[in-house]
Amino acid sequence: MPCGVMRQARLTASLTINTGLSTGFPSTQKGKAEKTALSIISSPRNAKMESLQSGRKWRTQSLGMTLLNMAIVLLLVFPGRTEGQREKKKSDGIEYKAIRCRAHSASLADFGAVGDGTTSNTAAFQAAINHLSQFANNGGAQLFVPPGRWLTGSFNLTSHFTLFLHRDAVILASQVKSEWHVIEPLPSYGYGRDATGSRYASLIFGTNLTDVIITGDNGTLDGQGAVWWDRFHNKQLNYTRPYLIEILYSDMVQISHLTLINSPSWNIHPVYSSNVIVQGITILAPVHSPNTDGINPDSCTNTRIEDCYIVSGDDCVAVKSGWDEYGISFGMPTKQLIIRRLTCISPTSAVIALGSEMSGGIEDVRAEDIVAINSESGVRIKTSIGRGGYVKDIYVRGMTMKTMKWVFWMTGNYGSHPDNKYDPNAIPIVKNINYRDMVAENVTMAARLEGIPGDAFTGICISNVTIGLSQKPKKLQWNCTDVIGISSEVIPMPCNLLPDQGREKPVMCAFPEEKLPIEDLEMQTCFAGAL
């Protein structure tokens, strides 16, 4: 199956979880992985499903069949070459979809790069991009990365530019510190995450860009993160670890149809940007690797994340907007975000996390058609006194979960401050949180909802949710403090702070019907490389 990268991703991910693999992806034990993966998505338990009014209401269908169907959809929707990317037998190369096509193109090999996996190509990448930047105002340019293993340190992108990876191309992150630029901490954070002060630039980095695309025929970015994880655990870092992709202060950004493995830390980090699409991405990291978040939209507006498969040592998607007094001062929220058709495996973290760095505010987040397997929590809101800011107008529907510690988790005492200068009177506001149409199986505890004493989380609505418990569940299924809201048709029965509205007048929690602007952005048919 030459283009079945997604299938291999699923199998390798399952092998990592079930056999304790900790040396990174990929594994060669394909047979065992396939058996393990099939065991995850199969279930003999049945639960029924019925429609309500608009047909969107889930009750309890066969969860086993739902997961199996989702597995089939993953193979059909997320293969190495998705619809709109199938390689055509034409002289104009590999067809793909993008927000913009380019008038000019060059190959990395034209700039002296050597794809042997050992020769450093940092200078070649930067020389190619610098050369192609001259076409920014003349139709833009595309850099084609051909088959090979292209070792490099961090490099900077340019505007009106596409970086395209052939499906047999691997960009290998250098393990030599001198090949990584050192840059200032983000102004909305004030400090680095691993060490105070500066941080390493990401492998692929860009700032103040317009119309930038990182895509491919499911080519690979390999962060070779093990050496960085060891440095982190052994406290040998002078600067914060690099990410794989970080784009700052930019507009019209597309990151699509790539496989990212073994990132040193976060994988994809759009920050202070607008009109962002992250689509058809596979992210793989050992489940105990430190801080290997999947996709972290941070102080961004109008963002679309869809059709992604993530196995992570941290949150699969973490929505952020700055840290304590630095985020409050910077004052840039994340808003108008849609997350859909996401599959996540994260045994120690959340499928979707809001915060904890949310001091600039998070609002109008919509998530739907989410599958969670063997993850700590489905949706998690995490904040703390001193954060300030807000999390509001959150809408989640259509989640299928199997083997979870918690389905819902909110906490107002997360802690973790950059320094001691935070304002103890900066109280975060959490309100208008809507969860509906969900089914879960093999759950240890339904919900842990902990607001802030004297400043409760308000406007919480949970409706049409069925949670099947594990063989050894917690005696207390709903642990609620300092929260105010309602529930409707939820099993098991929620806590008294979320009173059931009764069968006579069932409530359907809100989910906006109007589209976000980013959903109407149309893609063009483009071509890369040559056959």
Side-chain angles (χ1 to χ4, degrees), residues 28 256 305 314 388 440 461:
T28 58
S256 62
I305 300 170
D314 211 307
C461 180

Side-chain angles (χ1 to χ4, degrees), residues 7-27:
R7 179 173 181 271
Q8 179 60 37
R10 294 171 60 245
L11 303 185
T12 310
S14 300
L15 181 62
T16 298
I17 292 165
N18 289 277
T19 66
L21 182 66
S22 60
T23 56
F25 289 93
S27 167

Side-chain angles (χ1 to χ4, degrees), residues 26 108 115 231 527:
L108 180 65
R231 291 168 182 164
F527 292 90

Side-chain angles (χ1 to χ4, degrees), residues 5 7-28 33 149 170 172 220-226 229 259-263 267 282-289 292 309-313 345 347:
V5 178
R7 179 173 181 271
Q8 179 60 37
R10 294 171 60 245
L11 303 185
T12 310
S14 300
L15 181 62
T16 298
I17 292 165
N18 289 277
T19 66
L21 182 66
S22 60
T23 56
F25 289 93
S27 167
T28 58
R149 295 172 61 80
V170 180
L172 284 172
T220 299
L221 304 180
D222 185 347
Q224 300 199 102
W229 307 331
T259 295
L260 281 61
I261 63 175
N262 299 325
S263 177
N267 280 270
T282 299
I283 294 174
L284 303 175
V287 295
H288 296 295
S289 55
T292 51
Y309 179 90
I310 302 173
V311 180
S312 173
I345 299 174

